[in-house]
Amino acid sequence: MKELVVGIMAHVDAGKTTLSEALLYHTGAIRKLGRVDHRDAFLDTHSLERERGITIFSKQARLTTDTLALTLVDTPGHADFAAEMERVLPVLDCAILVISGTDGVQAHTETVWRLLERYGVPVFLFVNKMDLPGADRAALLAGLQRDLSENCLDFSSGEDLTEALAMCDEALLERYMETGAVTDGDIRGLISERKLFPCWFGAALKLEGTAEFLAGLERFTSVPEYPAEFGARVYKIARDDQGSRLTYLKLTGGTLKVRAPIAYTDRNGARV
């Protein structure tokens, strides 16, 4: 089973938390769909978030399918809380970037895109709210290819993308010219190397296209190779209801046992 840490991010009001709810619902992690406007979204638990109807703090949830065990990290979409979003980027195996079907690529979308590029994070895109008036699939895809990458390809169209996929990489194109085929392994490699950004279109609130998107994550995500020795990255510090300090980290190798002594590197690079 693939074990992955996946961040979900977007510009504000794109429907990021709604998509999170849909993915959790599809996998049985939650039994009832919450809504941001109903103030009962599973991942928006802080009173400030429910009062303002936006995500302020990064949260994580666990969901599993037959082939995928995924830690989903929901991040703020509002530009005022971009630092909270950026803190999780170093621990991500890949990211889900949500685009509003009525707004397309916004200024903050481009900011998030540049950050994902800086940290080398592979990206899957979900274009949301396609059930609303004004959501033009062809125009949205053209905007993604113009403003983000020409290798944003529509995986939910049902069209044969073999040739377009081969064009994403010179070596793959040569193999394609010889064999006429592009494999799932080729696609996973392109995504991992940020040479391909697969897109799905749908409406998370109505669960349209979300099951297909989840199937795409199962099929096309890759698990990074980690060393055998213990390693971890801290991405969040918080406190529980009793005031105890909680440290959130991602294991990048080995195992961690209770009371095991560990050394760490501080922000200045010094070993402690």
Side-chain angles (χ1 to χ4, degrees), residues 87 89 94 96 137 176 191 202 212 219-220 260-261 267:
R87 272 192 284 269
L89 296 183
C94 63
I96 299 168
R137 187 186 190 116
Y176 170 70
I191 295 169
E212 293 80 1
R219 183 176 175 184
F220 297 120
R267 66 182 60 187

Side-chain angles (χ1 to χ4, degrees), residues 104-244:
V105 174
Q106 301 292 290
H108 188 58
T109 314
E110 297 187 60
T111 299
V112 173
W113 185 262
R114 288 192 294 270
L115 286 170
L116 290 167
E117 182 178 25
R118 180 188 304 170
Y119 286 91
V121 181
V123 182
F124 293 75
L125 294 99
F126 185 81
V127 184
N128 195 24
K129 301 186 180 183
M130 292 302 295
D131 57 322
L132 298 182
D136 184 322
R137 187 186 190 116
L140 287 161
L141 183 62
L144 295 175
Q145 293 173 339
R146 180 187 66 244
D147 299 329
L148 301 183
S149 169
E150 63 181 4
N151 290 341
C152 290
L153 299 183
D154 184 359
F155 271 54
S156 59
S157 66
E159 298 178 4
D160 184 1
L161 297 176
T162 307
E163 187 172 335
L165 291 167
M167 294 289 289
C168 293
D169 180 74
E170 224 172 272
L172 177 57
L173 181 58
E174 289 182 10
R175 290 202 304 275
Y176 170 70
M177 297 295 288
E178 295 175 1
T179 66
V182 174
T183 67
D184 282 5
D186 293 328
I187 296 172
R188 286 190 288 270
L190 290 172
I191 295 169
S192 295
E193 295 171 12
R194 288 183 49 86
K195 295 179 179 179
L196 168 65
F197 306 97
C199 309
W200 281 262
F201 291 74
L205 190 61
K206 296 182 178 179
L207 299 180
E208 295 175 0
T210 51
E212 293 80 1
F213 179 67
L214 182 59
L217 291 178
E218 289 186 273
R219 183 176 175 184
F220 297 120
T221 48
S222 300
V223 179
E225 293 185 7
Y226 292 118
E229 63 270 17
F230 171 75
R233 290 177 180 170
V234 175
Y235 68 94
K236 180 180 176 181
I237 303 292
R239 295 193 179 274
D240 63 16
D241 294 338
Q242 287 72 46
S244 299

Side-chain angles (χ1 to χ4, degrees), residues 86-103:
E86 186 175 357
R87 272 192 284 269
V88 311
L89 296 183
V91 304
L92 299 183
D93 297 315
C94 63
I96 299 168
L97 181 60
V98 185
I99 308 293
S100 169
T102 55
D103 298 325

